[in-house]
Amino acid sequence: MRDPFNRSAAIVGVSESECGRGVALTPLQHQAMAARKALDDAGLQKSDVDAVMTTDVIGLPSLMLAEYLAIRPRFTDTTVTGGSAFVLFVERAALAIAAGLCEVVLITYGSSLWSDRHRFSTEAVDPRMPSAQFEFPYGDLSPISAYSLAAMRHMHEYGTTSEQLAAVAVASRQWAMRNPGALLREPITVADVIDSPMVASPFHKLDCCLMTDGGGAVVVTSAERAKDLRRPPVYLLGSGFSTTHMTIPQMKDLTISGAVESGRLAFARAGLTPRDIDVVQIYDSFTFSVILALEDLGFCEKGRGGEFVEAGHIGPGGDLPTNTSGGGLSYTHPGALGIFLVIEAVRQLRGDCGERQVPDAQRALVHGIGGWLSAHATLVLAR
């Protein structure tokens, strides 16, 4: 088997469907639209695809997608790790290509979360997650309750403040103002975040990700095949995955996440360190997610993440541009954000981002988070 890293696999096409609120598309239609545009971006046809990867919590999503697109894949993957799955799929695609199981992998995601939001009013305890029976009766509204619990512990241990959490939202909005496709583009201040309604302490409304419709697609192939395609390839240098728990009471230390291990693996496989990264995309389900991941991935010291973002490092003009599309806080969030992080990283490395372009971006880190800080997937990409 060939080395799946060291530039042996490349992302050659990316695109989204229509992202926003009230988009009149089903999840499969979102995936089909994004897939068509991503394949066109790569200069490939549907007939070139011999592997599909997608996921959902029910059904046979990869088979459903393949049938809908009239693709007969040699390989599929439907691993369910929440929002980290679509970051993990890039690693899985590289492994499958290196093993000779396939050559062109189509990764997709689609959701009509905003249009279907009424379904949350009837949700009950999921019988597949039996520990939830001990949490839901006491008002648990996870994932927000789980993330707020971890955030409160971090504030207690390290003195992280609500103003520092708000600095993440402000930086994301500053990037979104440079992204014509972002849902929210009006400027906000730290005071605006603090003054927005409290949802689950310490999270105010503007500390929380959006709820939208949308979809995305990513095309991965071998480095050899990538040489002759339409757009400059973006290579996988390293990746890592870690899962530490499912429900938040089983998280050993609420201030240390699985990003420590996934980041360590990704950097080791890439032969790089955090100092070598030019642009970062982190799953920002909540403002705290970014602070915790920046610490655990090694971009700043443990407990100093709040100070780091407050100092302006992650916004436009900062030395660690982060979530340059506006992220889940201001750009889009149709239930899972991971695939959009990959798409934005690829566009930054290809120089396609216009006003929000990071100058001379050579290497990017993508970090997806799934569940209740449960599953972490990290990629190191390079042009």
Side-chain angles (χ1 to χ4, degrees), residues 34 85 93 101 109 144 216 334:
L101 300 176
Y109 175 67
I144 191 169

Side-chain angles (χ1 to χ4, degrees), residues 67-307:
E67 181 178 79
Y68 192 77
L69 297 179
I71 293 171
R72 297 187 65 181
R74 292 195 290 149
F75 186 84
T76 73
D77 193 331
T78 58
T79 301
V80 182
T81 60
S84 65
F86 302 94
V87 180
L88 177 61
F89 282 152
V90 176
E91 175 189 272
R92 297 291 174 86
L95 290 169
I97 291 167
L101 300 176
C102 55
E103 186 177 26
V104 177
V105 182
L106 175 64
I107 303 168
T108 67
Y109 175 67
S111 169
S112 51
L113 175 68
W114 172 260
S115 298
D116 296 341
R117 62 194 183 281
H118 61 274
R119 71 187 176 87
F120 287 101
S121 63
T122 59
E123 275 191 340
V125 176
D126 188 336
R128 294 167 297 180
M129 197 165 75
S131 60
Q133 68 182 297
F134 303 111
E135 300 161 19
F136 277 74
Y138 296 95
D140 178 74
L141 294 173
S142 287
I144 191 169
S145 298
Y147 281 78
S148 66
L149 186 67
M152 289 293 283
R153 188 63 192 177
H154 198 276
M155 296 170 88
H156 173 78
E157 290 281 350
Y158 300 110
T160 307
T161 67
S162 291
E163 288 76 13
Q164 290 169 342
L165 296 178
V168 176
V170 171
S172 294
R173 186 63 60 85
Q174 289 171 341
W175 285 116
M177 290 167 63
R178 292 160 169 79
N179 181 3
L183 180 66
L184 301 181
R185 302 185 66 203
E186 302 79 11
I188 57 172
T189 65
V190 168
D192 290 331
V193 180
I194 300 299
D195 291 341
S196 64
M198 181 67 74
V199 180
S201 183
F203 296 143
H204 300 83
K205 178 181 178 180
L206 293 179
D207 285 300
C208 305
C209 65
L210 301 169
M211 190 161 69
T212 69
D213 300 329
V218 171
V219 181
V220 185
T221 190
S222 64
E224 293 82 2
R225 184 72 178 274
K227 292 176 183 177
D228 300 322
L229 298 182
R230 179 170 293 163
R231 301 302 309 278
V234 169
Y235 297 100
L236 176 63
L237 300 188
S239 68
F241 176 77
S242 174
T243 179
T244 55
H245 61 280
M246 175 57 203
T247 53
I248 201 71
Q250 302 305 311
M251 188 173 177
K252 186 175 181 181
D253 186 331
L254 290 169
T255 68
I256 300 175
S257 75
V260 172
E261 178 64 8
S262 68
R264 183 192 67 78
L265 287 169
F267 281 121
R269 289 166 177 165
L272 299 173
T273 72
R275 292 187 297 274
D276 298 310
I277 300 300
D278 300 309
V279 61
V280 176
Q281 311 297 333
I282 293 173
Y283 199 130
D284 55 341
S285 46
F286 304 98
T287 49
F288 174 66
S289 310
V290 176
I291 289 175
L292 184 64
L294 287 170
E295 293 177 354
D296 290 347
L297 292 167
F299 291 106
C300 60
E301 294 179 27
K302 173 54 64 179
R304 306 295 292 273
E307 299 172 28

